[in-house]
Every structure is written in C-alpha cells, then in structure tokens.
Amino acid sequence: MKRFLGFVKKEFFHIFRDYRTMIVLFGLPVIQVLIFGYAINTDLKDAHVAILDNSKDQMTRQITQKIVSSGYFMLGENLNSTADIEKSFRSGKIKEVIIFKENFARDYLKDGKAKIQLIADASDPNNANLIVNYTLAIINNYQMSLMKEFKIPFQITPEVRMRYNPELKSVFMFVPGIITILLMLVCAMMTSISIAREKEMGTMEILLVSPLKPLQILAGKVIPYVLLSFVNAITIILMGKWVFGMPVTGSYLLLLGVSILFIITALSLGIFISTVANNQMTAMFISLVGLFLPTILLSGFIFPIENMPVPLQILSYIVPAKWFIIVIKSIMLKGLGVTYIWKELCVLFGMAVFFILISMRKFKIRLE
Amino acid sequence: MRTILFILRKEFLQIKRNKAMLPIIFIMPFIQLIILVHAATFEMKHIRLHVIDKDMSSVSRELISKFSGSPFYDITSYSFSDKEGEEDLRSNKADIVLVIPEHFEKKLRKENSCEVQLIINSINAASAGLINAYTSSILLDYNVNLVAKWSVMNSSVQASTIETTYSYWYNPELNYKNYMVPGILVLLVTIIGMVLSSLNVVREKEIGTIEQINITPIRKYQFIIGKLVPFWIIAMFELAFGLTIGKLLFGIPIIGNVALLFLFASVYLLVILSIGLLISTLNNTQQQAMFITWFFMMIFIMMSGLFTPVESMPEWAQKINIINPVAYFIKTMRMVLLKGSGFGDISGLFASICTYAVIMISFATWRYRKVS
C-alpha cells in the first residue's frame, strides 16, 4: 500500500510540475464552456433576406415590415429583378428571397387571392427549413390579423405546454453536451497520453521492474486524473448553473456521483487506448480522431438519436457519452432519482469494468 | 533544393515506418465519414406519441387516426390519465403527449371550439419546436376537413387568402448529407493536418533528435518547408479521396469548379499546418502541444458553422470567427460545391485566407530557433 501511495504521489508531482499542462487542464475547459455556452445554438436569428417587391404597395410594405422587425430576419438587400436572385444567393450573404407578385394588394382585395413566393438557400437544409417555416408563420399571422372579423366555426385549438424547458432555451441542450464532450475527451486524452508517454520515454521499463503490480500501475496513473477531472466537472456544472441558468432540479449528490462514474469510464477508455498505442502521437490520434466525432454525433449532443437510421442507433449504444447525456439531463432538468436512471448507470459501469479488464489483459509486463 | 528533398525523404520515411499511424491517418477518417454522415440529421421521423383520449368519440378517434397514419409519428401507448402520460415523458418513453379532453366532440359542436392539450418534452428546444410545428399542422389539417364536413350550410362567406408557395434552391429535397459531407471532410482534414504538424517538432525536441537537425547546415526556411510539405500532401490527398467518396457514395453535387476548391484548400492547409508548427515550436512536451492543439481545434470546429449555423451566434462570437480558418474553408467548400459560386464570389474569403497563411508561416518560421 505504501508503495502504491508513493507511486500516486509521483503521478501528482508529474502533473503539478508541468504548470502549462495544469493551466490547460483547468483553464481551457472553463473558457470552452463559456464560449460554447454563449455561441453554440440553433436558434434562428438575424437571417438575411432579400425582398423582390414587384408590387410596392401598402400591403407588401406591411408584410416586409413584419418580417424584418420580427428579430428572426434582417433585410439584406432589395432586389429589382428575378435575374438578381441567383447572384445574391451565390454571394453567400442571403438566405432567403421573398417575392411579391405584381399588383399584390389589388389582387388580394379584388380576387381574394394574392401570391408570395419564398425561395430559400437550402445548401443548409435545416436552416432553410426553419427559415421558411418562420416566414410562413409571420405571413399567416399577418393574414389572421386581416381577417379578424371572420369567425371560424368548430375550431380545435392546441394548448401547448413545453415541459422541462418552457422557454425553449437551446442552452439546456448544449450545456449537458459540452460537459460530456469535455470530460470524455480530456479524460481519455490525459490518461492515454500519460501512459504512452512513459512508454515513449522509456520510463515504463522502470515501472515494470518495480514490485508494483500492473493493476497498481494502472490505478496509480488514473487516480490523480479522477480527482482533476472531478474538479473540472464541478466547475463546469456550477458554471452551467450560475452563468447559463441551467437548473439542477435533482440531487447534487447524485449528479456528482454519476459524474465520477462517467469520469472513471472515460479514464478506463483512455487506459485501453494506451495499451494499443505505443507513442503519444498514436494515442492522441486514437483519442482525438477516434472519439471526437462519435462523441459529438452519436451521443445526442446536437442531433437527436431517434432521428438516425437504425444501424446508427444501435451503434450509439457503445458510445459512453450517449448514456451520460441521458443521465445528466434526467437529473438536472427532470429532477429524476436513481430509480429512473439505474439502467444507464449500469451500462456506464459495465463499460468501465470491460475496458479495465481488457487493458489488464493487454498490459504487457515485458518489453518486446 | 537538394537539402529540402532530403528532409522530405526523412519525414516520409518516418511516417511510413510508424505502422500504427498509417491506418489511423488513412482509414479511420473515411470510415467515420461514411458512417457518421448519416447521424447528422435534424429530420424528425419517429416522434413518439402518447395518446390520452378521454372522449372516446368518433371525432377523437378520427383525429388519432391522423397521427397513426402519419409517417412522422409512432403512437407508443394509449392511456386515460394525465399521470401516465407525464410518467412516459419523464422516463423518456414519449416525446409528446396528446390529451383529448372529455366531451371533446360535444363541446366542439355546441361551443364551436375546444382545446386539446399537447405536452412536449422540450429539453431539446429545436426538436420541440419542430414537433410542435408538425403536430399543429396535422391538427390544422384535420380541423379544415372537419369544418368542411360539418359546415355545409354557411359556406357563403369566403375569406381572402394570401397564397404562399416556397421552394428550396440548391437542395430541393433538403438532403442533409449534401450539407454535412463537405463539412465533415473539412473537419477530418483539419484534425489530421493540425495534429500531425503540431506534434512533429515538439516530438523531435522531446526525443532529442532536434539537436541533430540543429547542428546541420539546414536553413530555417528549408526546415519549415520540409516539415510542412509532407503533411500538406497527405491532407490534400485525403481531401481528394474524401470528395471522391462523397461523390460516388453519397452523390453530393459538385456544381462549382473543383480546381478552385483545391486552390483554396492548398492555401487553407498552409494556415492549418503552420498553426500546428507554431504550437509545436512554442511547447516543450508533446503533452502540452496536444492540449493546446486540442483547445484551439475544438473552438475552431465548434464555431465554424459545421454543426450549428454561424448566423445564430452572437455578434462577438462571429467576430472571433475572423481568426477561425475552419469557418472560412467550410463556407467556401459549401458555396463552391453546392451553389457553384465562382472565384468572384469567394474572392473576399480567398484574400483573407491568403493573408492569414502569410502571417502564420512567417510567424512559425520566426519562432523556430536553431538553438535549444
């Protein structure tokens, strides 16, 4: 035991003496959470639209006014002819063109029908979809205000309640995701690199000839990082609460507990990577190239897993981040207790055990 | 010139001999491209609906059949109490609960209007908005039919309507892959280029071989060129290969001029690689270099507009993007590939990236010291 403690102490010295890495480990996640928390969202805001008004009457001006003043859109430019549409899209500044047909107001009042055409730049399909739907809603609204006097019979009115996130803030989606991806990458990278480093520098040999058992070496490597990552996790959760107004409706104790579990899972994945990689560069590539995209894309961080094709949904089961995101959303936003999330916790725990067992088997106590 | 060739040969040999790295550089990115592109979609296909029908009338049943007939909804369960619906939302078995109140039909006929309740799990604000829009449009559709059926008598008054038609240019079927393939490709090329270059010099420092290079008559610029070119070739190759996969496998449109794209890419890669080299010369251990690289890369990628639109970011964040090379490249890539933008359209972006390249290369060269 004393030997083991000595080893852990050595690891701590390693980390604390390299002050640059220390700054990186504690400072950078904080900066990233700040930047991402404010900057990353999918809300529609100030999309530039171009207006091609062939009618230029009272009504078209009112509609344009409504659209531009909605906060979702901004008037990019006024076009004069259909020929300009292509050009303004190509310049990349305009997301939508709104075309009013000639004699708009006259048609509306006389024939009871007036035409608007919307053209969206669908090279970003999701955004185009949003933009068109928002524009339609604004035009519909305008129309409703015109025909208030008509009473529509037999009306089914939906009463919508947004549960858990009534103001539809996208922060609620992104803060848990950012916590997850930061913990995952930092933990996996740190451990895999620190073990690969010993191999590359040749100091692994010294550890191997020492009376420490493989399990002790691995545990000693991981323990300091569990503590470091735990501090990181707490910082990020508190920042989510104080800076971004993420509520923690569930129990803090449970939240911290599951964070530790996830940290251990991520660290054991890091150990596993280090048994495969012989030098730091390989370790870095596996943990970065191999984990970055799957953690972002298959975890439900940005894209909902339910929308994916079935094979990918199945593949997402092996992504630890997916389970952790479910768990922290349940605790922070829904206020659920262990009874609701024990399955996810079991999966995370199982993954950690799996990685540790494999790494122990693959851990070579001899040099080639 | 001969000196540079020797350095190049050394670098390529080193890359070739590192057996573990080759598959990671050349195979893993493409597997990811092929698999993960399918994951990036906001399109809702299986909205899980929990129905609470307290009316059990023909009207309420008809309304529910509209949902069961829609390809967007899976009705996961029926119940009669609000509690069960809430429970399903909480345990993540349903995305939306539809509550049809008692005496729904009666009220609708007598009082001319009746409310139905939609309870939506809105943790993901974007999908909650979409679910709401889909559901409301189904309700509205049904409502219009109902009105037409029931009110045969008073159809004398016809309201004027504004008829809005819409079309999606450049991607009429709203195929999300067209959008994501170019973006993910940029990301993979960037990660590989930046990590390779940022770990390179610092690795020589850590192992001690930098001393051997320092005592040779190799000039600074020769050294930098020798370090940049191999990674540049690898990254350009990956880009070309990735584009071919995108074209053949996903059928992404290549409307614009590919040569223009590669011209831009070649300058872009110089920026990325010299940022990597700069990080490499500034740090003493690979570990430090790695975390710094990781930090910048995360910020560059997350803010580049790859996953979330740049326009949704606040003003200051868009300003930060001025120094974000990835944002420039992703924008250009999408403009040229999907919209066929020509040199005139991207000249501004091109000028910026060229300036950026000049600054970064001179900075990296200046920072590299031949003394330790």
Side-chain angles (χ1 to χ4, degrees):
Chain A
M1 198 60 206
K2 216 176 141 210
R3 246 184 243 140
F4 178 64
L5 285 180
F7 180 60
V8 173
K9 217 163 129 195
K10 160 203 166 267
E11 284 302 315
F12 268 112
F13 281 142
H14 254 314
I15 297 167
F16 288 124
R17 282 192 188 152
D18 184 357
Y19 69 97
R20 272 205 223 190
T21 308
M22 284 288 290
I23 293 174
V24 170
L25 287 183
F26 289 117
L28 299 193
V30 171
I31 299 174
Q32 280 175 335
V33 170
L34 280 179
I35 294 183
F36 296 156
Y38 281 117
I40 295 182
N41 62 71
T42 42
D43 308 334
L44 188 62
K45 191 180 94 332
D46 292 345
H48 289 257
V49 292
I51 307 262
L52 174 52
D53 192 346
N54 290 319
S55 181
K56 296 206 171 65
D57 54 48
Q58 179 79 25
M59 273 180 84
T60 61
R61 264 195 295 273
Q62 275 177 359
I63 296 177
T64 310
Q65 190 51 42
K66 284 233 155 173
I67 290 174
V68 173
S69 63
S70 65
Y72 300 120
F73 300 102
M74 240 166 108
L75 184 60
E77 58 182 313
N78 276 306
L79 303 180
N80 293 319
S81 76
T82 19
D84 295 342
I85 298 176
E86 177 94 32
K87 216 179 82 202
S88 67
F89 272 140
R90 275 218 198 137
S91 72
K93 284 177 196 115
I94 299 295
K95 299 287 167 196
E96 185 186 49
V97 177
I98 301 172
I99 305 168
F100 295 101
K101 290 277 147 70
E102 293 91 357
N103 308 320
F104 186 86
R106 215 194 63 196
D107 281 359
Y108 183 81
L109 298 173
K110 259 190 153 175
D111 309 342
K113 223 172 220 179
K115 280 184 178 166
I116 300 177
Q117 197 192 350
L118 308 177
I119 303 174
D121 174 356
S123 54
D124 178 349
N126 181 51
N127 215 21
N129 199 357
L130 269 182
I131 286 175
V132 165
N133 276 314
Y134 278 58
T135 321
L136 285 177
I138 293 172
I139 295 174
N140 275 339
N141 236 323
Y142 174 74
Q143 204 184 342
M144 291 300 257
S145 69
L146 282 184
M147 43 184 247
K148 258 195 195 125
E149 57 267 36
F150 290 99
K151 196 163 174 3
I152 307 159
F154 313 126
Q155 219 172 353
I156 302 175
T157 39
E159 183 214 338
V160 182
R161 281 201 212 152
M162 292 295 180
R163 197 45 53 90
Y164 309 121
N165 181 6
E167 289 156 59
L168 294 182
K169 290 191 199 162
S170 49
V171 173
F172 281 35
M173 181 71 178
F174 287 111
V175 168
I178 291 165
I179 298 176
T180 312
I181 190 166
L182 284 181
L183 284 183
M184 183 78 221
L185 286 178
V186 172
C187 292
M189 274 165 56
M190 278 188 314
T191 36
S192 64
I193 288 165
S194 92
I195 297 179
R197 185 183 157 91
E198 303 255 8
K199 285 193 200 169
E200 194 172 340
M201 309 295 283
T203 45
M204 196 54 151
E205 225 180 311
I206 300 171
L207 290 180
L208 289 179
V209 295
S210 71
L212 287 166
K213 298 204 174 65
L215 183 63
Q216 287 178 319
I217 296 181
L218 290 182
K221 278 274 169 202
V222 164
I223 285 174
Y225 290 114
V226 172
L227 290 180
L228 289 181
S229 308
F230 189 56
V231 174
N232 262 338
I234 294 177
T235 329
I236 300 176
I237 290 170
L238 289 181
M239 272 174 47
K241 187 174 161 60
W242 287 329
V243 185
F244 300 111
M246 268 292 279
V248 181
T249 39
S251 125
Y252 273 97
L253 208 63
L254 184 62
L255 188 59
L256 294 182
V258 298
S259 304
I260 293 186
L261 178 62
F262 181 65
I263 289 169
I264 293 176
T265 313
L267 290 173
S268 57
L269 179 59
I271 297 179
F272 172 67
I273 291 174
S274 71
T275 56
V276 185
N278 283 320
N279 54 45
Q280 297 180 68
M281 195 192 263
T282 317
M284 167 87 172
F285 259 101
I286 298 181
S287 43
L288 195 62
V289 183
L291 291 182
F292 187 68
L293 267 184
T295 312
I296 290 185
L297 289 178
L298 290 179
S299 64
F301 169 21
I302 298 177
F303 302 98
I305 295 174
E306 302 91 68
N307 301 348
M308 296 173 193
V310 179
L312 280 183
Q313 292 190 22
I314 295 170
L315 195 63
S316 76
Y317 289 139
I318 60 167
V319 177
K322 171 203 159 135
W323 304 102
F324 186 60
I325 286 189
I326 296 178
V327 169
I328 51 174
K329 274 186 192 160
S330 303
I331 298 176
M332 290 179 91
L333 299 170
K334 297 186 184 174
L336 302 182
V338 187
T339 39
Y340 284 92
I341 52 173
W342 62 271
K343 268 186 250 156
E344 284 81 8
L345 295 181
C346 284
V347 172
L348 283 176
F349 183 72
M351 283 178 173
V353 172
F354 174 78
F355 285 128
I356 291 172
L357 285 181
I358 292 210
S359 318
M360 297 249 307
R361 289 201 59 177
K362 291 201 73 157
F363 189 80
K364 296 189 189 90
I365 48 168
R366 307 250 179 275
L367 304 169
E368 347 271 305
Chain B
M1 194 61 212
R2 246 169 68 90
T3 331
I4 296 179
L5 282 180
F6 279 125
I7 307 174
L8 286 182
R9 201 164 141 224
K10 160 193 166 279
E11 290 296 327
F12 273 116
L13 273 179
Q14 255 178 344
I15 296 168
K16 217 177 86 194
R17 286 198 186 139
N18 192 345
K19 283 279 170 329
M21 283 299 288
L22 287 178
I24 298 172
I25 299 178
F26 290 106
I27 299 176
M28 196 148 84
F30 298 114
I31 294 180
Q32 291 201 343
L33 179 69
I34 292 167
I35 294 178
L36 293 179
V37 160
H38 298 279
T41 173
F42 282 107
E43 199 187 341
M44 309 288 297
K45 268 177 242 141
H46 302 283
I47 303 171
R48 292 166 303 167
L49 175 68
H50 180 110
V51 177
I52 301 175
D53 183 1
K54 295 181 186 162
D55 189 39
M56 298 291 279
S57 63
S58 60
V59 177
S60 73
R61 267 195 297 273
E62 208 177 33
L63 175 60
I64 294 166
S65 76
K66 290 279 163 204
F67 284 100
S68 58
S70 154
F72 296 115
Y73 292 87
D74 292 341
I75 301 186
T76 45
S77 53
Y78 296 89
S79 71
F80 299 101
S81 75
D82 295 5
K83 247 196 188 145
E84 280 180 59
E86 288 282 340
E87 183 60 28
D88 265 14
L89 272 191
R90 204 175 298 144
S91 53
N92 212 15
K93 284 185 193 132
D95 301 311
I96 171 171
V97 179
L98 168 71
V99 187
I100 302 174
E102 286 165 72
H103 313 302
F104 173 67
E105 182 176 355
K106 234 197 211 153
K107 240 177 134 183
L108 206 55
R109 281 188 194 273
K110 282 211 176 125
E111 295 166 27
N112 251 339
S113 82
C114 186
E115 286 190 340
V116 296
Q117 213 178 55
L118 306 174
I119 309 168
I120 303 174
N121 174 1
S122 62
I123 289 181
N124 183 344
S127 10
L130 274 179
I131 293 177
N132 187 14
Y134 286 171
T135 315
S136 304
S137 80
I138 288 186
L139 282 176
L140 192 69
D141 242 34
Y142 177 69
N143 205 175
V144 170
N145 282 336
L146 196 72
V147 171
K149 218 164 75 185
W150 285 4
S151 59
V152 217
M153 44 279 185
N154 57 342
S155 55
S156 51
V157 244
Q158 262 291 338
S160 299
T161 52
I162 297 176
E163 203 175 277
T164 319
T165 52
Y166 51 87
S167 49
Y168 296 108
W169 279 20
Y170 308 114
N171 189 356
E173 287 134 45
L174 293 182
N175 184 346
Y176 213 73
K177 277 169 210 133
N178 290 355
Y179 185 61
M180 286 314 286
V181 170
I184 290 188
L185 201 56
V186 168
L187 185 149
L188 291 170
V189 170
T190 308
I191 294 185
I192 288 178
M194 201 154 156
V195 175
L196 276 177
S197 58
S198 70
L199 292 189
N200 190 285
V201 178
V202 79
R203 183 183 154 95
E204 303 229 23
K205 273 195 217 166
E206 207 172 56
I207 300 179
T209 47
I210 195 85
E211 304 266 308
Q212 291 166 23
I213 291 181
N214 282 344
I215 52 166
T216 60
I218 296 173
R219 301 276 180 102
K220 267 165 92 168
Y221 77 91
Q222 291 172 327
F223 179 77
I224 295 283
I225 292 176
K227 288 285 180 193
L228 280 180
V229 170
F231 306 134
W232 186 86
I233 292 174
I234 291 177
M236 283 300 260
F237 168 78
E238 301 225 326
L239 183 65
F241 194 60
L243 269 182
T244 320
I245 289 184
K247 177 78 192 159
L248 296 181
L249 212 63
F250 297 112
I252 56 161
I254 300 185
I255 296 171
N257 189 343
V258 183
L260 180 63
L261 194 67
F262 276 91
L263 175 70
F264 195 95
S266 59
V267 183
Y268 166 76
L269 283 173
L270 288 181
V271 176
I272 288 296
L273 295 176
S274 34
I275 291 178
L277 277 187
L278 184 65
I279 293 176
S280 203
T281 47
L282 285 174
N283 288 292
N284 298 322
T285 66
Q286 291 187 65
Q287 203 169 7
Q288 291 166 355
M290 262 177 244
F291 276 106
I292 303 272
T293 310
W294 173 74
F295 172 73
F296 281 109
M297 211 149 53
M298 272 282 275
I299 289 187
F300 283 167
I301 289 170
M302 297 304 278
M303 297 184 68
S304 65
L306 174 57
F307 300 113
T308 58
V310 174
E311 294 83 18
S312 306
M313 301 197 302
E315 200 85 3
W316 59 265
Q318 297 192 29
K319 289 242 168 66
I320 292 184
N321 258 348
I322 293 174
I323 56 158
N324 183 352
V326 185
Y328 288 110
F329 192 37
I330 286 195
K331 197 166 179 203
T332 309
M333 190 97 163
R334 283 174 176 162
M335 280 170 73
V336 174
L337 281 183
L338 306 177
K339 287 196 264 185
S341 303
F343 188 75
D345 300 312
I346 63 158
S347 56
L349 294 167
F350 190 68
S352 319
I353 204 84
C354 285
T355 323
Y356 205 162
V358 171
I359 295 174
M360 287 323 291
I361 292 179
S362 16
F363 213 41
T365 320
W366 169 76
R367 255 312 306 184
Y368 167 61
R369 301 280 146 84
K370 282 197 76 176
V371 285
S372 45

